Each structure stands twice: as C-alpha cells, then as structure tokens.
Amino acid sequence: MRVIVVGAGPGGLTLANGLRQAGIEVVVYERNQQHGRSQGVSLHLEDQATTALRACLAPEQLDMMSAAVGARRDRVLSLTEQDGALVVSGSQSFENAPHLSANRRPVDRQLLRAVLLSGVSDVVRFGTALTGFEQRSDSTVRARFADGSTDTADLLVGADGIGSVVRRQYLPHVRVLDTGRCTLLGATPLSSLAGTGLPELIGDNPAKVQVTGTTMIVAAVRFTAPPPALRERWQAALRHGGVSEVEDYLMWALPTSAQHRGTDDSSEAVRRHARELTAATHPALRQVVEQARPATLARLSIGSLTATSPWTASNVTLLGDAAHAAPGFGANSAMWDAQRLNELLIEVAGGKQGLLAAIGTYEEAMRGADARPASFPGARPQGRPTGTSA
Ligand SMILES: Cc1cc2nc3c(=O)[nH]c(=O)nc-3n(C[C@H](O)[C@H](O)[C@H](O)COP(=O)(O)OP(=O)(O)OC[C@H]3O[C@@H](n4cnc5c(N)ncnc54)[C@H](O)[C@@H]3O)c2cc1C
C-alpha cells in the first residue's frame, strides 16, 4: 500500500511517522518550504495527542519529545493591577473542564515539528502544493501539483488544514466560515523579563489579564530539559525543523476582532497592534510585547467549517483541520485522527480488512470529533475557563 499525505502539519506528520514505523510506504507533500514560518508559538498537548505520539513515534523521538515539553498546567490564573503591582486575583482549575486532561503540557510548535520531521524528513517534499486529484478506475488516486508533477497512490489523505484543497474538491459543499476573530501572538524570552517579577508571579500556569478591549493570555514555557542540553543533544533534528533558538519563554496571545486587523501582517505591524492593546496596562506586560522575538510575532485568523453530513468512503480522506476545524484543540484532534487512521491502515496492510471499510470506520470516528470543544484563548465555550494556549 502507498499513501500520499498532503500537508506537513501536526496531523499529517504524525500519520506519516506512524505509517513509517509500520513499514507502510508514505510520501508527504507540503506547499511551504522546510523552514517556513510556523503557525503560532506553543500548543497544549492533551492526553489524546500524547497517546497518539506514543503510538506513532520511534522511542528516540519520544525521548526528545519528553524533554521538549513544558511543565504540567492545571489551572488558569487571573491577574489584576493593585497599587501599581500585578497580583494574582483568582485561579480556576481545569479539573472539571471536559477534554482538558490533568496532564496537559505546553509544547513549542517548532520543537514539535522538529521531532515529527526527524522521523520522516526523507519522505517530505517541501515546496510542492497540491492543486487537485483524480480517482481512477484501477482504484488508485493521482495527485497533481502546482509544479506540473503528479504522483499516484492507493490512498490520498488531505491533512492540508482549514483551507484544504483536497476537501474543496472532495466535499465542495463544505465552506470555510470567517469567525471575525483573530489572535496576535508572540514569544518573549524569560531572560528579557528578568526583574519584572512576572515569570515568578505566574509560575508554570497560564494567566489572563484584562487589557484594552480584550483579555491578554500569558504563559511561561519552561522546558523540562535545560535548553542548552536540548540544543546539544538534538542538534540534527532541530536543524530539520528550522529551530534556531531554544530558550525558556513567555508566550502571549491577544484575541481581537478581525475588523481591526488591517492588511499588514508583518511582525512590526503585529507589534504595533499589540502595543495599542496593552498601552494602558502594567509596564511588565508592555515589556512582554516590546521584547518579543520578531520571528514569533504573528496574527492568525480563526476560521470554522460549515457542518457536513456523512459521505461515502473512498480512497481519498481528510484529517485534522481539513475535516473539522476545532480552534484551540485542533492539533490534538489532528493527532488523534492520525493515530486512529494509522491503526486502521496497519490492519489494511496486514490483510485484516479492506481499505474502504477501514476508511469508513475512520471517518465515522473522525466526524464525531466535531463535537470536541475548543480550549483556545479566543474561543470561549460556555461553562469552561477561558483557554490558555497559542
Ligand atoms: C492562535 C492559535 C492557537 C492554537 N492553540 C492550539 C492549542 O493549544 N492546542 C491545539 O490542539 N490546537 C491549537 N490550535 C489549533 C491548531 O493550530 C490547528 O488545529 C492544527 O495546527 C491543525 O493541524 P493540521 O495538521 O490538521 O493542519 P495544519 O497545522 O493547518 O497543517 C496543514 C499543512 O498543510 C499545508 N498545506 C495546505 N495546503 C496545501 C496544499 N495545497 N499542498 C500541500 N500542502 C498544503 C500547510 O502549509 C500546512 O503545513 C491553535 C490555533 C491557533 C490559530
């Protein structure tokens, strides 16, 4: 069996690793170049993602992963300013929040990508955008790419994100909805916040603080292994993922409305916008914005997908955000999809069931994932603490 995966996001790369481990031929096509700009700063790994990584990665990758995650987080703090000082005014436990595991841990997106790439870098074709596909009478599927090349496989997996080209052709009635929300993001080295007291005040838990017209989320990412040890031990893998700097940092997010976004997405424009939103706040938070590393400054739009009724299984399928946008939980969902699909494809390769039956089973479970709620700062599902990641 040969599988084409479109998209080297967390979902596509987790699947590719799992297939690789199982000896199934896989090739990944990614439209961006290898060291393209990352989508955000850090993610929360819930139990679903951790289980998926355990199932799909090689032992040395898991070793690297466990050194690359931050400390466990179990609550979100509220900060306010009192007599010129930032203080913790409240705290809400994640304990009763559905789908948020007690073991949730932050992971740096670029480090996660580096770990995932280290297992499959030789089968990822960067800079190759899928433009369409053709399902052929001999049960194979032929993928077409922007550079004029084609490739053929037994299964095509669209792991190409919310704007999925695969989904647009396969399920053309599904539309992307603009939620009207976007989030400004950045990462600020903890070393540049020395003396502000902020990293010590919040410890390892995320915190929210009211700024002009929105709630700013800040959370320290302190790696389990000291960054210099990480750098030295996994140099080669870090290079694959384009990770140039590993140091403890404070990630911050400012959810805002897209109408204020403007057209300039450069890092300086993002910093200017973040400066405006935090102008009237405590100096420590202003310093967080001023000292953010330019490469991490980003403005991400939040989209969602219209609902779809079940479709007939074929040799084309979808995974992660391409199938069900779950802002704030999407990477966990995508990795969970990848693990499930991987397990079923291993059964197909072992002759235990046919491909279409396996895809049907996978898609039924994957569609159920739409019900999973979001935990992301901009998304505020009812009855749950404001999310904490980016
Ligand atoms: C601000 C913010 C914070 C978030 N925080 C969290 C969090 O804490 N936890 C969490 O679980 N989720 C979080 N999410 C959601 C998460 O980022 C996504 O849900 C997740 O990245 C989806 O993974 P994916 O593999 O399905 O798709 P993506 O990560 O979108 O990857 C798709 C890949 O496909 C490639 N691609 C697209 N089109 C083509 C094409 N035509 N040909 C080839 N390649 C193509 C893209 O370049 C991309 O690399 C957050 C999202 C945002 C915006």
Side-chain angles (χ1 to χ4, degrees):
M1 182 168 47
R2 183 164 199 272
V3 180
I4 292 178
V5 176
V6 185
L13 289 178
T14 302
L15 174 64
N17 274 278
L19 295 174
R20 201 72 191 286
Q21 291 293 312
I24 296 173
E25 191 183 345
V26 60
V27 56
V28 182
Y29 288 93
E30 167 57 50
R31 70 174 170 195
N32 290 339
Q33 296 300 334
Q34 180 157 1
H35 302 315
R37 206 171 173 191
S38 80
Q39 254 242 332
V41 177
S42 60
L43 288 169
H44 273 127
L45 291 184
E46 310 288 347
D47 286 345
Q48 294 90 334
T50 309
T51 307
L53 292 174
R54 281 205 195 106
C56 294
L57 302 191
E60 61 274 17
Q61 288 174 289
L62 289 174
D63 210 19
M64 181 173 168
M65 199 66 240
S66 62
V69 292
R72 188 171 160 265
R73 292 172 172 176
D74 58 7
R75 57 191 56 250
V76 59
L77 311 175
S78 300
L79 304 183
T80 41
E81 205 173 327
Q82 261 175 28
D83 304 326
L86 270 183
V87 294
V88 176
S89 56
S91 123
Q92 195 173 2
S93 162
F94 292 138
E95 217 165 66
N96 299 319
H99 302 287
L100 302 190
S101 56
N103 294 318
R104 67 194 328 240
R105 281 164 168 260
V107 62
D108 179 82
R109 278 188 187 245
Q110 269 188 294
L111 277 177
L112 172 65
R113 189 163 181 271
V115 172
L116 292 173
L117 274 175
S118 67
V120 289
S121 59
D122 56 328
V123 293
V124 183
R125 315 268 179 270
F126 288 102
T128 316
L130 180 97
T131 51
F133 61 85
E134 178 197 336
Q135 291 176 281
R136 307 193 318 167
S137 54
D138 64 357
S139 300
T140 59
V141 52
R142 180 158 57 192
R144 294 189 304 276
F145 300 96
D147 61 5
S149 63
T150 60
D151 193 2
T152 304
D154 302 293
L155 176 68
L156 176 77
V157 182
D160 47 346
I162 191 165
S164 173
V165 169
V166 177
R167 190 196 61 242
R168 259 188 276 157
Q169 180 177 338
Y170 195 49
L171 304 175
H173 54 284
V174 179
R175 282 178 303 114
V176 178
L177 300 174
D178 184 354
T179 61
R181 288 185 283 120
C182 69
T183 295
L184 311 183
L185 298 169
T188 308
L190 288 190
S191 55
S192 68
L193 297 174
T196 65
L198 182 60
E200 296 78 9
L201 180 70
I202 63 174
D204 290 321
N205 279 310
K208 54 184 182 176
V209 56
Q210 197 59 40
V211 297
T212 308
T214 186
T215 302
M216 183 178 194
I217 314 288
V218 293
V221 177
R222 297 180 174 93
F223 296 107
T224 312
L230 258 173
R231 271 195 300 264
E232 193 169 319
R233 178 150 175 216
W234 283 293
Q235 258 175 28
L238 295 180
R239 260 201 308 276
H240 277 311
V243 179
S244 49
E245 295 177 53
V246 186
E247 59 184 320
D248 295 341
Y249 62 82
L250 190 92
M251 94 17 80
W252 52 269
L254 285 159
T256 178
S257 110
Q259 75 196 44
H260 301 303
R261 62 173 290 159
T263 48
D264 185 355
D265 270 342
S266 66
S267 51
E268 259 326 294
V270 173
R271 198 191 304 271
R272 268 199 309 276
H273 192 171
R275 239 180 231 147
E276 282 165 26
L277 296 175
T278 52
T281 193
H282 191 272
L285 297 169
R286 299 206 303 267
Q287 189 160 334
V288 166
V289 169
E290 288 310 322
Q291 299 295 324
R293 284 200 281 120
T296 64
L297 289 165
R299 174 167 19 215
L300 299 181
S301 300
I302 312 294
S304 71
L305 297 176
T306 55
T308 179
S309 40
W311 59 91
T312 307
S314 79
N315 57 0
V316 172
T317 193
L318 300 168
L319 179 157
D321 272 12
H324 46 82
F329 192 74
N332 283 269
S333 249
M335 290 189 261
W336 188 88
D337 287 347
Q339 181 201 351
R340 185 80 186 117
L341 182 55
N342 181 50
E343 279 166 5
L344 288 158
L345 292 179
I346 291 172
E347 290 190 6
V348 174
K352 290 196 184 133
Q353 63 170 313
L355 180 64
L356 298 192
I359 297 299
T361 307
Y362 158 72
E363 289 180 343
E364 208 179 307
M366 179 263 284
R367 279 188 291 261
D370 292 355
R372 289 175 217 154
S375 65
F376 150 80
R380 290 181 190 140
Q382 286 189 337
R384 310 181 52 210
T386 304
T388 53
S389 60

